[in-house]
Amino acid sequence: MSTQLSAPVNRQTVSALSQSKGEPAWLEEVRTKGAELAETLEWPTPEKVRISRWNLTAIGNHKAEAAIAAVDELPETVRELAGQDQAGLVVQRNSASVLRKLSPELAAKGVIFTDLETAAREHSDLVKQYLFSAVPQDENKLTALHSAIWNGGVFLYVPKNVEVELPLQALFISDDATAAFAPRVLLVADNHSRVTYVDNVVSSYGEASAPITKQTIIEVIVKPGAHVRYATVHNMSENLVDLTIRRAVVENDGRIEWIIGDLHDGHTLSDTQSLMKGNGSSSDAKVISIGSGAQQMSLTTGAVHFGRSTESNMVTRAVMKEQATAIINGITKIEKGATKAGGFQTEKVLMLSPKARGDANPILLIDEDDVKAGHAASVGQVNPEQVYYLMSRGISRAEAERLIIYGFLAPVVSEIPVDAVREQLQRLLERKLEG
Amino acid sequence: MATHFKIDGLRAAIDGKEILKGLSLEIKGGEVHAIMGPNGTGKSTLASSLMGHPKYEVTDGEVVLNGEDVLEMAVDERARAGLFLAMQYPSEISGVTNSDFLRSAINARREEGKEISLIKFIRQMEGKMKELEMNPEFAHRYLNEGFSGGEKKRNEILQMMMLDPSIVILDEIDSGLDIDALKIVANGVNAMRSEDRGFLIITHYQRLLDYIKPDFVHVMMQGRIVKSGGPELAERLESEGYDWVKEELGIVDETVGQV
């Protein structure tokens, strides 16, 4: 049923595009290899969600974008997302990066914050060293295809011992549903550095836009003792399929914190994993999602413990409206040798309509004896006793249900450490719950 | 207008089983009525039916508050009309703070644009919490979550004080309270006694009535009021139990339906 015309992805087209952008030879080689791999590999097969039925091949065509000088030149609806006082900002519009800013203070400390295409040219060795080190290109058709077609994106490098106080921000905007939109993010936090990165993924189309699939792959490299906080909010219209893979590799005593708002209106594959390779490393993941309309979602959080004394915590809370479906997987894997590891997870789904569906699947895979692990999962509807109690104090049914639903999400929302993200998430929650 | 609350021939059922079998009672502003009775005689069903709990079906009778038909109203409308039920088992609601909840309840009684100011609300709430010897921290805790039995009961009384109802029903407010907490709760209720407010106190025990003096005492058995009197009736029930009432009225089994 696809009405989208995407140019074929093959060796020749990928190579030609890479050359036209003046990319280094190694990158062109990687891209062409990705195009070849994509022909033979299969799409990922998450539990109980058949993503192969989605419009996965409608990936759009590469289009050049004019650079902008300031956020003011963006559509009004997305302008406010850029916030104020950010230490750095990278903006991607459709197929290309259009704005890059970094405070001179951070640049002087050696922080690199730019789009990944520019970084691949200007910091080729650094990018080459880490690109694909968390998400290899040959895992499946998605990782392969993305390795061939990715555009714009973000590269962040924080040197040893540098602490970045203010959040660095990125905006990924799709406002042309015929243009390819496939950002790739690579964050490298060197030893004992500290950084918070926040991105917003939004769309702004006219009426009834053609279907399009956006692929995003995020790699985070947390070197020994470093601390990375990654907050992301996805909020796009329903014609867009959102395939996102996020993965962190955490070395000794490093820490990754994920804060994820999956508030997208279309089909969603959201897979977030932390690989705790180093001893004493830790991971915390908080995911909030609202499903509406006929959207299908596969939301997975994973924590893989390799190192000793590693700690992970994962919390997902989802509210499903109308006929929305969410399959929520939490996978805690503790490898042999990861002694004194602790892994905990909670998945909760609140269903607001009899046609909504939510499955919570907590999975513990444990190959080591000396560990602690736990999970909790629940799927339910708004409790009529609670509604009665609130109404008995004069609160209308609609308001009572609203309080209960926000209350369900509050324990996660209130823990979000970045004020601006928390407030923005709250606004979007309201829009999606009440809109 | 002087408060006037009238229950006439009320019949109510749960899961098709009739529990209230034609109960009548009239409460005027300024009056305190106590309903006493053994377990399983329909006391809590009365409270829940008056408030409009969805599980209870009223099959017959009338309930009128200040000329308005209560049974025609939804639960929230009954509350806004002036009815308040302090519940025996209040719900716990995660993620909703006590203060957000109370502010929503107060604002539900006000017109849009005339909401209570935050400062005024906080001042009121802090004042009332102090009267009830509640830890100020409870304002920011999630509604009833992790509260002890006594804390929940105090929180019910706090809501009553903040919402200023015209008819207050206290459903076993004394259960689970130690004597100090009981006195605090009773003081809270007594402070609210006024000419425009009526009280209906449902209890097993005389104990509470030592601290909240009723004007009328009613005995409930088999889903209706079987005997009424003044405060002396409560005292006699406390010292002699219910057997003499049963004997006097020829009642063998005082309970109704399920316990």
Side-chain angles (χ1 to χ4, degrees):
Chain A
M1 61 162 273
S2 171
T3 52
Q4 179 76 36
L5 291 173
S6 297
V9 176
N10 57 40
R11 243 195 118 80
Q12 289 71 34
T13 58
V14 163
S15 165
L17 182 56
S18 182
Q19 281 172 17
S20 77
K21 289 184 188 177
E23 291 182 343
W26 67 266
L27 186 53
E28 186 193 336
E29 219 168 283
V30 162
R31 286 187 185 275
T32 53
K33 188 180 159 207
E36 276 173 4
L37 284 166
E39 284 173 20
T40 53
L41 292 171
E42 299 292 330
W43 291 107
T45 51
E47 286 279 306
K48 296 182 197 165
V49 181
R50 293 173 71 177
I51 70 164
S52 56
R53 289 186 178 177
W54 300 351
N55 230 321
L56 298 180
T57 51
I59 53 175
N61 299 309
H62 174 78
K63 289 189 186 177
E65 282 290 337
I68 58 171
V71 178
D72 300 356
E73 296 172 42
L74 293 172
E76 199 181 332
T77 46
V78 296
R79 220 178 290 160
E80 63 174 37
L81 297 175
Q84 287 158 349
D85 299 332
Q86 68 290 101
L89 177 67
V90 171
V91 180
Q92 172 169 353
R93 188 173 193 171
N94 304 310
S95 308
S97 174
V98 294
L99 180 71
R100 296 161 288 276
K101 283 196 327 191
L102 179 66
S103 76
E105 295 80 18
L106 290 176
K109 286 180 179 172
V111 174
I112 302 167
F113 187 54
T114 184
D115 67 284
L116 189 57
E117 288 187 28
T118 300
R121 287 191 299 266
E122 295 178 2
H123 308 277
S124 187
D125 291 346
L126 205 50
V127 171
K128 194 179 171 186
Q129 185 185 346
Y130 294 107
L131 197 64
F132 306 111
S133 67
V135 184
Q137 68 177 146
D138 60 359
E139 240 174 54
N140 52 45
K141 193 183 187 82
L142 174 58
T143 63
L145 190 58
H146 189 268
S147 74
I149 65 161
W150 69 264
N151 49 34
V154 162
F155 178 69
L156 167 63
Y157 174 77
V158 186
K160 283 177 187 166
N161 302 319
V162 171
E163 297 196 2
V164 182
E165 300 274 333
L166 290 171
L168 295 167
Q169 292 195 39
L171 260 178
F172 299 107
I173 306 159
S174 173
D175 61 359
D176 176 350
T178 63
F181 185 41
R184 185 163 192 118
V185 178
L186 176 59
L187 303 193
V188 181
D190 217 329
N191 299 18
H192 300 286
S193 64
R194 178 179 279 264
V195 67
T196 298
Y197 164 88
V198 178
D199 71 29
N200 273 280
V201 189
V202 292
S203 68
S204 172
Y205 304 125
E207 296 285 302
S209 279
I212 179 168
T213 288
K214 171 196 134 273
Q215 307 176 350
T216 310
I217 291 183
I218 290 117
E219 298 181 281
V220 182
I221 313 301
V222 186
K223 305 291 278 181
H227 184 161
V228 176
R229 203 177 254 169
Y230 193 114
T232 181
V233 179
H234 287 219
N235 170 36
M236 291 164 291
S237 56
E238 63 176 302
N239 62 305
L240 193 147
V241 171
D242 182 4
L243 306 178
T244 301
I245 294 180
R246 306 176 189 88
R247 203 170 298 165
V249 175
V250 193
E251 299 185 17
N252 287 350
D253 302 311
R255 178 169 175 79
I256 175 79
E257 288 176 30
W258 301 103
I259 298 154
I260 295 160
D262 275 318
L263 304 175
H264 174 43
D265 289 343
H267 294 335
T268 303
L269 172 78
S270 171
D271 183 319
T272 307
Q273 276 197 57
S274 300
L275 310 181
M276 284 162 284
K277 293 264 169 84
N279 297 334
S281 57
S282 64
S283 165
D284 184 276
K286 293 184 177 72
V287 182
I288 283 204
S289 183
I290 314 271
S292 63
Q295 91 181 104
Q296 300 167 15
M297 298 176 135
S298 168
L299 309 176
T300 301
T301 48
V304 189
H305 297 250
F306 296 95
R308 294 191 302 276
S309 301
T310 43
E311 296 273 348
S312 69
N313 193 37
M314 305 190 279
V315 177
T316 300
R317 293 212 177 191
V319 176
M320 293 290 117
K321 294 168 50 171
E322 296 145 15
Q323 304 101 54
T325 301
I327 307 295
I328 298 171
N329 307 299
I331 305 166
T332 306
K333 187 160 196 326
I334 303 183
E335 303 286 349
K336 183 88 191 144
T339 52
K340 312 278 184 216
F344 299 90
Q345 54 164 305
T346 308
E347 293 86 31
K348 288 192 177 178
V349 189
L350 185 65
M351 284 182 298
L352 303 187
S353 130
K355 287 185 180 161
R357 189 178 149 205
D359 280 8
N361 306 314
I363 300 163
L364 301 180
L365 303 165
I366 299 174
D367 292 325
E368 174 57 55
D369 297 327
D370 184 16
V371 300
K372 284 182 182 150
H375 65 81
S378 71
V379 177
Q381 285 159 342
V382 174
N383 180 336
E385 283 288 336
Q386 294 183 337
V387 174
Y388 164 67
Y389 185 66
L390 294 178
M391 287 178 76
S392 80
R393 301 312 184 226
I395 295 169
S396 68
R397 177 176 293 278
E399 178 68 9
E401 289 177 348
R402 206 184 78 88
L403 283 170
I404 292 165
I405 295 161
Y406 284 105
F408 172 78
L409 298 170
V412 181
V413 176
S414 65
E415 293 236 328
I416 291 172
V418 186
D419 290 351
V421 179
R422 189 175 55 246
E423 284 156 20
Q424 191 222 335
L425 200 59
Q426 190 72 36
R427 276 199 302 278
L428 285 174
L429 288 175
E430 282 167 26
R431 181 196 64 84
K432 197 157 181 196
L433 282 168
E434 279 151 53
Chain B
M1 185 171 59
T3 295
H4 185 243
F5 186 57
K6 190 164 185 246
I7 306 166
D8 191 12
L10 187 65
R11 288 177 178 269
I14 182 164
D15 299 332
K17 171 102 188 130
E18 189 172 71
I19 307 286
L20 293 185
K21 303 192 171 188
L23 185 141
S24 300
L25 184 67
E26 198 170 346
I27 302 175
K28 298 198 183 81
E31 295 177 353
V32 175
H33 292 247
I35 289 195
M36 301 186 69
N39 267 331
T41 53
K43 301 193 298 301
S44 283
T45 298
L46 172 63
S48 297
S49 302
L50 291 175
M51 197 70 243
H53 191 291
K55 276 193 182 161
Y56 295 86
E57 188 200 352
V58 171
T59 51
D60 199 16
E62 261 193 351
V63 179
V64 179
L65 175 59
N66 298 336
E68 287 187 273
D69 183 351
V70 170
L71 298 178
E72 280 297 305
M73 300 180 195
V75 177
D76 56 322
E77 293 170 322
R78 297 181 193 199
R80 292 197 298 271
L83 205 59
F84 182 90
L85 168 61
M87 299 196 191
Q88 191 177 359
Y89 303 112
S91 286
E92 299 186 2
I93 302 178
S94 186
V96 179
T97 64
N98 224 358
S99 63
D100 282 351
F101 153 67
L102 259 174
R103 204 146 64 93
S104 297
I106 289 172
N107 285 333
R109 288 161 172 75
R110 292 167 163 245
E111 282 174 52
E112 217 171 302
K114 293 191 174 169
E115 287 88 358
I116 188 167
S117 82
L118 188 58
I119 295 181
K120 192 175 171 197
F121 169 76
I122 291 172
R123 209 182 298 137
Q124 268 186 27
M125 185 166 184
E126 283 177 348
K128 302 293 183 197
M129 289 179 76
K130 207 170 172 186
E131 277 181 49
L132 294 167
E133 298 181 28
M134 289 173 77
N135 183 338
E137 198 187 276
F138 277 70
H140 311 294
R141 294 261 300 266
Y142 291 152
L143 180 53
N144 292 324
E145 195 179 68
F147 286 28
S148 72
E151 285 160 353
K152 283 182 184 165
K153 295 301 171 72
R154 269 189 240 197
N155 208 34
E156 293 291 284
I157 299 300
L158 173 68
Q159 293 168 36
M160 174 193 78
M161 292 172 121
M162 296 288 288
L163 297 177
D164 197 24
S166 48
I167 288 291
V168 174
I169 306 164
L170 305 174
D171 188 9
E172 309 237 352
I173 196 75
D174 48 340
S175 68
L177 292 186
D178 62 33
I179 194 73
D180 292 330
L182 185 73
K183 282 182 191 168
I184 293 165
V185 164
N187 287 342
V189 172
N190 287 328
M192 292 289 286
R193 287 179 80 153
S194 84
E195 281 310 303
D196 4 300
R197 193 170 356 254
F199 286 86
L200 180 60
I201 299 173
I202 294 171
T203 179
H204 277 305
Y205 308 107
Q206 152 76 17
R207 192 175 69 142
L208 178 66
L209 306 181
D210 289 339
Y211 300 98
I212 308 173
K213 282 281 171 229
D215 304 299
F216 303 92
V217 175
H218 311 277
V219 178
M220 197 163 165
M221 286 182 182
Q222 295 179 329
R224 60 173 81 86
I225 287 169
V226 295
K227 191 168 185 67
S228 298
E232 75 288 343
L233 177 56
E235 283 159 28
R236 185 166 175 202
L237 291 170
E238 179 70 7
S239 57
E240 298 177 33
Y242 290 98
D243 285 350
W244 66 273
V245 183
K246 287 163 74 178
E247 219 163 280
E248 196 177 289
L249 299 170
I251 292 170
V252 180
D253 178 6
E254 74 278 14
T255 63
V256 57
Q258 70 216 73
V259 175

